[in-house]
Amino acid sequence: MTIDVVVFPVAGLGSRFLPVTKAVPKEMLPIVDIPLIQLAVEEAHRAGIRDVVLVTSASKRAIEDHFDHSWELEHMLESRGKTELLQHVRTVFPPGMRFSVVRQPQALGLGHAVLCAQPVVGNRPFAVMLPDDLIDAPGAGCLADMVALHRETGAYSLAVEEVPREQTGRYGVVSLRGERITGMVEKPKPEVAPSTLAVVGRYVLPAEVFTALQEVKPGAGGEIQLTDGIAALLGRCEFRPHRFAGVRYDCGSKLGHLMANFAWAMKDPALAAALRPWIQEQLR
Ligand code: G1P
């Protein structure tokens, strides 16, 4: 079965980036000149997904505005002959993509945010992407590989990465039997973590997750956790770990966000040529 819908839980406060996130959603923070959410939407488009569900909250209007036409701006750029900029503005909206917006009225956790998307997703298997986790992967990208795995084998999957044991408390951590996920815990302390294989922000999930999420009790941090909803299905559905190729930047942290900006700047020949000597100078 093919995956044609992706859920972006983007209702969070972004407190680690205050004060900038007081009025600007953290998903709108730029990587050079592209907001994080746009990079994630482009990855979903390359995976063949055409339905996007944004789960937002009050003060997150900028995200839906970003994916809408700005007729005034387009008209102004056109009348001034700024064709290159006009092209940049128009390609924000990948061809054929449809956006729906649902609200998460209360911050009750990631699992609760995903559950808010149920009326739009319905009975379809679906993807979840956390735009904070920016994955620079070869080919069509991390999610495209996970969608292909589902198409070819029917297996659901979670993107995973080895992390230092002292960091398990920041992630969902999985246990494996062969290439099958058999257990999952949200934010375990290092001494009780079942492994050091952490889930990062890409999921391909069955619609049954919604029913499971309706039944789970608040877990880590007193929140309805996506991890607990998935864990309830492990005996019934096959979930595989997807060890993606490439690099993940944790853009929910200042250091990760800075590193991603640097990495993306170095992809631009003109910026790279100017940055390289400047950095060498700074390091001296
Ligand atoms: C969420 C998930 C966690 C996952 C992490 C990946 O945590 O709950 O299982 O490992 O994203 O970034 P959060 O970062 O929202 O605390």
Side-chain angles (χ1 to χ4, degrees):
M1 228 178 145
T2 177
I3 305 291
D4 56 15
V5 56
V6 61
V7 175
F8 288 103
V10 291
L13 280 179
S15 41
R16 281 196 281 172
F17 271 97
L18 281 169
V20 64
T21 46
K22 191 171 167 233
V24 177
K26 66 172 174 171
E27 296 79 11
M28 290 300 293
L29 293 180
I31 302 300
V32 185
D33 55 359
I34 311 284
L36 277 169
I37 184 73
Q38 188 181 329
L39 291 171
V41 164
E42 287 169 3
E43 185 183 331
H45 190 259
R46 290 196 304 275
I49 290 174
R50 295 295 176 267
D51 274 345
V52 174
V53 189
L54 301 170
V55 182
T56 70
S57 60
S59 84
K60 294 283 191 139
R61 286 288 287 276
I63 299 177
E64 45 194 288
D65 288 348
H66 185 70
F67 293 106
D68 200 352
H69 279 289
S70 173
W71 300 112
E72 267 182 340
L73 177 65
E74 289 179 29
H75 178 74
M76 190 266 282
L77 293 172
E78 201 161 20
S79 63
R80 293 187 186 173
K82 308 247 183 217
T83 34
E84 204 179 315
L85 281 179
L86 184 63
Q87 186 58 15
H88 271 317
V89 168
R90 285 191 173 147
T91 50
V92 161
F93 205 92
M97 267 188 148
R98 291 176 295 263
F99 286 78
S100 312
V101 178
V102 296
R103 283 282 181 110
Q104 184 186 18
Q106 273 177 289
L108 299 180
L110 178 60
H112 177 258
V114 170
L115 189 53
C116 291
Q118 183 181 24
V120 185
V121 174
N123 287 326
R124 294 178 281 178
F126 64 106
V128 173
M129 293 180 83
L130 310 181
D132 284 6
D133 281 326
L134 177 58
I135 300 182
D136 192 7
C142 175
L143 190 66
D145 293 341
M146 295 167 73
V147 166
L149 178 77
H150 180 70
R151 198 171 41 239
E152 285 153 23
T153 68
Y156 301 99
S157 61
L158 316 178
V160 295
E161 184 175 67
E162 282 290 344
V163 296
R165 187 161 275 277
E166 63 270 20
Q167 290 180 11
T168 56
R170 298 186 200 166
Y171 299 96
V173 176
V174 300
S175 29
L176 300 180
R177 191 172 310 128
E179 273 310 286
R180 193 172 172 144
I181 297 175
T182 50
M184 245 183 121
V185 207
E186 182 66 14
K187 301 195 168 64
K189 293 206 170 90
E191 54 277 20
V192 294
S195 76
T196 48
L197 208 50
V199 176
V200 298
R202 306 287 182 278
Y203 307 76
V204 169
L205 303 173
E208 286 85 344
V209 162
F210 293 128
T211 325
L213 286 171
Q214 277 159 359
E215 286 162 13
V216 296
K217 301 270 177 294
E223 298 187 331
I224 305 288
Q225 295 292 351
L226 180 58
T227 295
D228 297 338
I230 298 170
L233 296 178
L234 292 176
R236 267 184 280 155
C237 306
E238 183 187 352
F239 283 89
R240 292 200 198 169
H242 176 63
R243 295 177 181 81
F244 54 92
V247 183
R248 174 188 67 114
Y249 297 94
D250 174 10
C251 292
S253 80
K254 287 169 203 166
L255 183 61
H257 182 248
L258 282 170
M259 286 172 165
N261 265 290
F262 181 74
W264 253 254
M266 293 304 283
K267 290 172 194 265
D268 177 321
L271 281 178
L275 253 184
R276 208 172 276 121
W278 183 81
I279 297 236
Q280 275 157 1
E281 185 61 36
Q282 297 301 308
L283 293 176
R284 227 173 272 139

